[in-house]
Each structure stands twice: as structure tokens, then as C-alpha cells.
Amino acid sequence: MALRIIRQFLRDKRTLALVFIVPIVVFTLFGILFKTESANIRVGVINSDKGAERTIVEPPRTFPPIPVIKKVKINVGQKFVEGLKENGGFDIIELAGGDTEKVIRENRLDGLLLFAEDFSGNIIDGKGIRFGLVIEGTSYSKKVVLENQFEKFFSKTIPGLLIQGTPLETNLKVEIDTRYVYGGKKFTNIDYFSPVFIAFFVFFLTFLLTIISFLRERAYGTMERLFASPLTKMELILGYSLGFSIFALAQSALVLFFTLYVLKINYMGSIYLLFALNAIFAVGAVNMGILLSFFAKNELQAVQFIPIVIVPQVFLSGLIWPIRDLPGYLKPLSYIMPLTYASSAIEGVMIKGFGLGQIGFEFVMLILFAFLMMLLGSLVLKRRVA
Amino acid sequence: MVIKTENLKKNFGGVKALDGLNLEIKEGELYGLLGPNGSGKTTLIRIIVGVLLPTSGTISVMGSANPFKKAAQIGYMNQSESLYIDLTVRENISFFGALYGVERNALKKKITELLDLLELSDKADELVGNLSGGTKKRVSLACALAHSPKLLLLDEPTVGIDPALRVSFWDYFNRLAKEGVTILISSHQMDEAEKCARLGFLREGKLLTEGRPGEIRSMTGKETLEEAFLELIRTSGK
Ligand SMILES: Nc1ncnc2c1ncn2[C@@H]1O[C@H](COP(=O)(O)OP(=O)(O)OP(=O)(O)O)[C@@H](O)[C@H]1O
Ligand SMILES: [Mg+2]
């Protein structure tokens, strides 16, 4: 039995290559990605702090012992910025100001700290450490870090950071006025992951179903019958696309229904747009399945396309690691992967509440992907084989 | 001529599946294609149906060099039962009928007729995957007949079918031929060959002999077709 299996494997050179090469590729990717995971969070700071004057009573050093009363001007905002730069664990970028959303977009920031004019004043008057924080909110992990890190940092840093010999009150309240560009405080892990996973499932299942059913058409000889009939190649491709897209839509409807109403995830944009995206993506996946079915002799070889087609997309499409944090030489790969555009578009709709206009580029890319696959599929699909 | 091939050749790598074949089949003819395993029967039928391109030579099917142009009038049954195993018998026949553009009501009538003829009525709503080999073969034939084709290409349609049913198959084929349907059937069964109007004996991609069953018998001086063909193989082997 074991001998038979080994013999069959040795005959199937492709399987053999896959069994040994794919793990190496996958683990290389893993290695690269886990090393790059520590990409820093980019935080911008707009420091409008005007500073404040503080009266300091120095202990007497002279004789007769008269305490020296000094008025010192301090800028706590400035001190914080310096402190953050030294040991905050973030990439700190000082910025001049302006419309916060624009500043975040232009500087590709994950978060933006805002120190108002009276920042120092509030501290000196004992009112508390009050500042603004704008979180970009596209990445869940970064959002969580930003939400939690600053409060700790500020309350811990105050004693040491301020001017020597001028003890400030150390039990100042930290009041952060947090705002979000996308998503919001109530968006949790599942809200972030469900959009991309919807895209992923649509792709994965439609692709797999198509490739297997196309292979079955060939194995059972029904393909030959179809080709003997008046059905044109294009009708065959469109029929398949339609059938499986309906299937994929039903599937994503179910997933959406489940996530929206049962798991009660938060979302912003239009459901119809979401459906349209899923449908287009499904058409692309169907035609990719048709195309690749010609490079597989049997179901076993079709299943082998999973590590080749699916796994890199999971790693590189921003599903797990943001594309922005990938090393430069991997980025071009990301940009040829359809899942990149699908998840970016679906994320845009669900988390950012984007309309068609704002995801236009991704939309077009998905349509292009579907067309390209259809074209290539119709090229390899031969009614009359030589 | 409904089918005409001239010096038809087909190579698969080094294998000469067809080696200069000249064949002419008239309208309404019931033509039997005989030959041992690997002699090129399936290859010839696939070229006529248009799913396989010849290496060289010409073919003409109902006057067209590209059989696909006449696809709507051709009924094809391949050697393996090519059916959707997760559809029922009725769904399979109806799918292939619809593929050829048969109008819905006409198709319904035709399906009932075919189910009757092929004794499939009681299995009509069973999944094809659960059927026996011979039953699948019958369903496969029904699928080829659903659009009432003018030309029928049947690759070993009677393999695995019980004798009684086989007789009624041949009666039906003969009836169709009388109605003007041209039929090309490949077979190993010599008793069936007697029922063909004309026979062609294929060997190593060449047409060894052609003629009416009676002609072939008297030509070799043998009593039965079976003996006649064994004799032909023996003499051609030299
Ligand atoms: N797709 C193919 N690729 C390679 N060789 C093939 C292919 N199809 C047929 N052949 C070869 O061509 C020759 C003729 O095969 P074909 O199937 O036409 O024979 P046949 O007369 O139908 O045999 P059978 O009675 O067993 O059905 C055989 O030697 C076969 O191995
Ligand atoms: Mg054959």
C-alpha cells in the first residue's frame, strides 16, 4: 500500500515538486513577514503648545536663607515630543498643522497627536493632561496600540520628564480626546477581519469549485459533449461565470447576513456596493479556475493550486500584514494579487464607508482581473484539440 | 455525402491513430465501423464530431469542413458515459436538449418518448451517479438523441446493454435511418454488424475492407462476419 502511494507520487513529478518546494517558499515568506512585523507605528504630532509660566520656589542656598522665587517658562508639549522620540516606540513626525485627515493621509500616519495652545497651561493649573488623538483606524492592531499606549506613557513620563526641581503634581488626570478617521472605538477585531475574510472566502471557494467542476467535466467526458454541441466557447465561459457568481453571491449574502446580524459587526458603507464587488470578484475567480484547470490533470493537482494561488495571496494581500509594512521587494507581488484589491475595496466600503468613487481604482482593477482571466481562459480553452 | 474524408491522418506523438483514411457515408446510411482495440474508431469519430483536429487530410461533414458549423444537427455519444452524475436522468437529457436549443415543450415530449424507448421511465428521477453501467449507457444515448439530430455518431453505444434491449436499439436505429438520419456506429459486436447497411473494417488507422455484410461474407468465403473478419486480419497481417 505504502509502496503504491510512493510509486504514484514519484510518477507525478508535479506533486513531487510541490511537496518539497512549496513548504520552502511558504516558510521563506513566513520568515520575511514575521521579521517585518515590527514595522513602527507612524505618529504625527502637531504641537501648538504655547507653553506656560510656572512659579518655582527654589530652596535657599544662600545666607540668610531666603527662598528664591523664579518664574520659568516651560513648554510641556515640546518635552513630550522629545520624550516620545526617545523612548515611545513610535516613529514620531513633527508636523505643522492643518486639516487633520489630510495631514494623516499625506504623511501616511497611523495616528496624530494634537497638543493645543493651552496644553502646558492645563498641566500647570492642575487641570490635567489634555490632548487630542486622531487614529487612522485602518489597522486593528495599530488602533489598539494607539488607544492604550498614550495614556500609560503620559502618566508614567510626567515626573521624570518635566523640569528638574520643579515637581509637578504627579497624579494629573490624562484626558485624551480620541477621534477616528475610519472605523471607531467600538470597532473590534471581528469588524476588521470580516471584510477581508468575506473577500477571501468568495475567492477561495469560487476558485476551488470552478477548477474542480471543470476538471470533472473533462474527466467525465461531458466537456467533450459540450464542445460537440452548438454551445460557443464564450457561452460556456459566461454560463460558468454566471452560475458560479450567483452561487458566490448567495454565499456572501449568507456570510454578510451572519456577520451583520448574528455577530453584529460594525460596518459603514453600502451593502449593494459590497455585493457588486463580491460578484465581480467571483467572476474573476471563476475564470481563474477555468484557466488553471487546464494546468491540472486531476483533482489532486487542482488542490495543489491552493498553496500556489491562495497562500501567497493570504500573506501578501494585506489580509494579515498591511502591505505598507512589507519589504519593498515583496510589494510588487502584492500589487498583482487580485485579493489585494478586493480586500482593500471591501475594507474601504465596510470600515471607511467609502462609496464607488473612492474605491474606483480597486473596482476597475477587479474588473480588469475578471476580464484578463476570461481572456486567458478563452485562449486556453480549445474546442478542437490538436 | 454526409461524411467525406480524404487521406485523413492523425498522429498522437509517434502513434498513427489514423493513417490515410478515405470514407464516404451517404444520407440515411447506417454505417458500422468495426475494428480491434486501438484501431482508430474513436479517433475518427472525434474528428468527425469536431473535437479533434486531424494531422492532415480533409474532412467534410454535411458539406462543411468545420463540423462545429453543423453541430446543431449532429448527435454524439462518446465511448464513456459522459453525464452529470449529480443530476437526474431527466435533468441530464433536458440539459443536453436545451444545449441544442430544443424548445421547452417539444423537449418535454421528446424526453418522455426517449425514456419510453430506452426503458428508463421508472428511473427518470434517479441520480445518474446511482445507476448501473448499462443504464448510464442508455441515458447517454438518450442525451445524444434529444435534439433529433440528422447525423448520429455513436461510439460503441451497445456495450454493456442486455441482448433484448440491444435488439430494440437496432430496430430504432434502422427506423431512424429510414427516416433519413445518417448513423455512424462503432462496435465490436459482429452480430450487430449484420444489421448495418454498410460496414467498414478499420485496422491500424486504415480502412481494410468496406461493403455490405453479405458482400464481406462472400468475399472471404466465410459463413459469419466474425469468421470473415478473423480471415481478413489474418491475410492483412502478412
Ligand atoms: N488523446 C490521445 N493521446 C495519445 N494517444 C491517443 C489518444 N487517443 C487515442 N490515442 C491512440 O490512438 C490509437 C487509436 O485509439 P482509438 O481510441 O481511436 O482506438 P479505438 O479503435 O477507439 O479503440 P477501442 O476499441 O479500444 O475503443 C491508440 O493507439 C491510442 O493509444
Ligand atoms: Mg474507442
Side-chain angles (χ1 to χ4, degrees):
Chain A
M1 186 70 192
L3 190 67
R4 196 211 78 206
I5 291 173
I6 291 169
R7 197 170 277 162
Q8 281 176 327
F9 264 117
L10 288 178
R11 194 141 301 161
D12 190 351
K13 296 280 182 299
R14 268 239 320 258
T15 307
L16 208 61
L18 240 105
V19 166
F20 294 105
I21 293 170
V22 165
I24 294 174
V25 174
V26 167
F27 279 100
T28 312
L29 263 181
F30 254 132
I32 294 168
L33 290 171
F34 277 116
K35 264 185 226 136
T36 58
E37 204 211 8
S38 58
N40 276 341
I41 298 181
R42 286 168 67 87
V43 179
V45 182
I46 298 178
N47 184 13
S48 320
D49 189 9
K50 288 241 164 68
E53 286 201 332
R54 175 161 169 78
T55 318
I56 301 171
V57 184
E58 280 186 358
R61 264 183 249 140
T62 51
F63 192 83
I66 306 161
V68 185
I69 298 178
K70 267 202 212 157
K71 282 205 167 189
V72 210
K73 178 148 179 152
I74 55 172
N75 187 321
V76 190
Q78 196 52 45
K79 293 277 168 193
F80 269 125
V81 174
E82 281 157 21
L84 276 170
K85 274 185 179 165
E86 268 163 39
N87 54 12
F90 302 110
D91 284 348
I92 300 292
I93 301 126
E94 280 186 84
L95 297 157
D99 174 47
T100 50
E101 289 193 17
K102 211 172 137 202
V103 169
I104 286 177
R105 214 177 323 115
E106 280 171 1
N107 294 288
R108 297 195 287 112
L109 300 175
D110 299 305
L112 180 62
L113 280 173
L114 302 167
F115 297 128
E117 286 179 14
D118 54 358
F119 182 63
S120 296
N122 282 332
I123 292 174
I124 284 161
D125 299 345
K127 285 186 191 152
I129 305 170
R130 295 176 176 171
F131 61 93
L133 171 64
V134 185
I135 294 176
E136 196 263 351
T138 309
S139 151
Y140 177 70
S141 57
K142 289 179 176 174
K143 168 186 125 110
V144 171
V145 171
L146 288 171
E147 274 171 348
N148 299 319
Q149 217 58 14
F150 286 116
E151 188 158 350
K152 251 185 270 164
F153 178 79
F154 279 86
S155 49
K156 204 173 61 193
T157 325
I158 288 160
L161 196 70
L162 294 180
I163 301 159
Q164 306 83 334
T166 62
L168 279 168
E169 283 188 62
T170 49
N171 55 352
L172 281 172
K173 267 197 313 213
V174 181
E175 288 174 29
I176 310 177
D177 172 23
T178 312
R179 282 183 293 129
Y180 294 85
V181 180
Y182 303 121
K185 174 114 189 129
K186 63 179 199 282
F187 273 64
T188 58
N189 224 332
I190 182 140
D191 301 324
Y192 278 91
F193 280 110
S194 54
V196 278
F197 273 103
I198 292 171
F200 174 72
F201 274 120
V202 167
F203 184 82
F204 182 73
L205 280 169
T206 336
F207 168 75
L208 212 62
L209 282 175
T210 313
I211 195 166
I212 300 246
S213 33
F214 235 69
L215 274 171
R216 276 178 35 171
E217 294 254 20
R218 276 199 301 169
Y220 287 109
T222 45
M223 182 76 86
E224 179 151 319
R225 265 205 149 144
L226 294 180
F227 281 163
S229 83
L231 186 81
T232 64
K233 213 158 68 169
M234 220 49 219
E235 281 168 341
L236 176 68
I237 289 178
L238 290 178
Y240 251 84
S241 299
L242 184 67
F244 277 108
S245 302
I246 290 172
F247 192 75
L249 275 189
Q251 187 208 11
S252 45
L254 187 75
V255 175
L256 269 180
F257 177 81
F258 188 75
T259 45
L260 294 183
Y261 297 102
V262 180
L263 299 178
K264 294 200 185 335
I265 66 156
N266 297 293
Y267 75 104
M268 322 273 289
S270 142
I271 291 222
Y272 302 107
L273 190 54
L274 216 53
F275 266 108
L277 281 170
N278 275 337
I280 294 167
F281 196 37
V283 172
V286 167
N287 285 284
M288 188 160 168
I290 293 179
L291 176 65
L292 291 185
S293 75
F294 285 86
F295 302 100
K297 282 198 211 82
N298 48 46
E299 266 115 330
L300 190 66
Q301 292 194 338
V303 173
Q304 290 162 7
F305 278 120
I306 296 174
I308 299 176
V309 172
I310 310 278
V311 174
Q313 296 213 64
V314 170
F315 286 163
L316 299 178
S317 68
L319 210 64
I320 301 173
W321 288 276
I323 294 174
R324 201 209 273 169
D325 296 346
L326 295 178
Y329 55 90
L330 283 180
K331 279 185 191 170
L333 283 177
S334 294
Y335 291 116
I336 58 167
M337 295 192 171
L339 197 57
T340 302
Y341 299 99
S343 61
S344 153
I346 291 178
E347 190 184 86
V349 174
M350 289 190 75
I351 295 177
K352 304 183 181 173
F354 280 175
L356 184 56
Q358 287 147 297
I359 54 157
F361 174 67
E362 284 91 343
F363 204 79
V364 169
M365 289 307 279
L366 287 179
I367 290 178
L368 276 181
F369 167 66
F371 267 110
L372 184 71
M373 287 299 134
M374 220 181 253
L375 184 74
L376 292 177
S378 66
L379 286 180
V380 294
L381 198 61
K382 292 238 161 50
R383 176 178 291 280
R384 296 175 88 180
V385 294
Chain B
M1 287 301 143
V2 175
I3 298 172
K4 189 174 161 76
T5 75
E6 264 175 88
N7 198 20
L8 199 63
K9 289 187 183 171
K10 180 71 197 177
N11 301 339
F12 291 109
V15 180
K16 288 180 176 171
L18 292 181
D19 190 13
L21 194 88
N22 296 303
L23 184 76
E24 291 193 358
I25 301 177
K26 288 199 299 281
E27 187 171 341
E29 201 165 26
L30 179 51
Y31 191 100
L33 197 59
L34 302 171
N37 291 139
S39 56
K41 302 183 296 294
T42 299
T43 306
L44 175 63
I45 292 179
R46 291 180 72 211
I47 289 176
I48 296 172
V49 127
V51 293
L52 196 64
L53 278 170
T55 308
S56 69
T58 60
I59 68 159
S60 143
V61 178
M62 294 189 248
S64 171
N66 182 0
F68 178 53
K69 294 214 170 84
K70 302 289 175 188
Q73 299 172 54
I74 302 177
Y76 172 49
M77 172 178 173
N78 31 357
Q79 196 167 352
S80 62
E81 310 85 31
S82 306
L83 300 164
Y84 295 97
I85 53 169
D86 33 20
L87 295 183
T88 66
V89 171
R90 194 189 299 278
E91 286 164 347
N92 264 287
I93 307 174
S94 139
F95 170 74
F96 283 107
L99 210 57
Y100 285 81
V102 183
E103 185 265 332
R104 189 195 277 255
N105 284 323
L107 184 57
K108 262 198 190 134
K109 258 177 68 189
K110 186 78 189 182
I111 291 175
T112 319
E113 184 193 317
L114 286 170
L115 289 175
D116 245 18
L117 173 83
L118 300 166
E119 295 176 15
L120 284 167
S121 302
D122 54 331
K123 302 242 160 54
D125 297 309
E126 270 183 48
L127 290 184
V128 164
N130 300 337
L131 299 177
S132 73
T135 317
K136 277 190 210 154
K137 205 87 193 179
R138 282 184 273 158
V139 180
S140 184
L141 179 63
C143 291
L145 295 169
H147 59 290
S148 321
K150 293 288 292 166
L151 170 62
L152 255 180
L153 302 167
L154 308 173
D155 201 353
E156 302 192 16
T158 54
V159 171
I161 288 181
D162 55 79
L165 198 59
R166 211 183 301 164
V167 171
S168 64
F169 267 36
W170 280 93
D171 288 344
Y172 183 66
F173 294 152
N174 270 306
R175 210 165 77 220
L176 285 178
K178 286 213 182 70
E179 288 166 15
V181 177
T182 312
I183 307 176
L184 172 61
I185 296 184
S186 77
S187 176
H188 293 284
Q189 237 85 31
M190 293 302 160
D191 52 328
E192 291 181 350
E194 287 284 1
K195 299 197 166 108
C196 295
R198 209 146 61 92
L199 293 173
F201 191 69
L202 212 58
R203 188 170 155 77
E204 290 175 356
K206 287 194 184 80
L207 210 49
L208 212 61
T209 316
E210 227 184 359
R212 278 185 278 116
E215 288 174 357
I216 292 176
R217 264 185 278 116
S218 56
M219 195 169 70
T220 49
K222 298 283 176 187
E223 289 283 296
T224 64
L225 275 177
E226 185 124 27
E227 288 170 322
F229 281 118
L230 288 175
E231 175 71 15
L232 277 171
I233 290 176
R234 205 174 49 78
T235 47
S236 75
K238 286 186 271 184

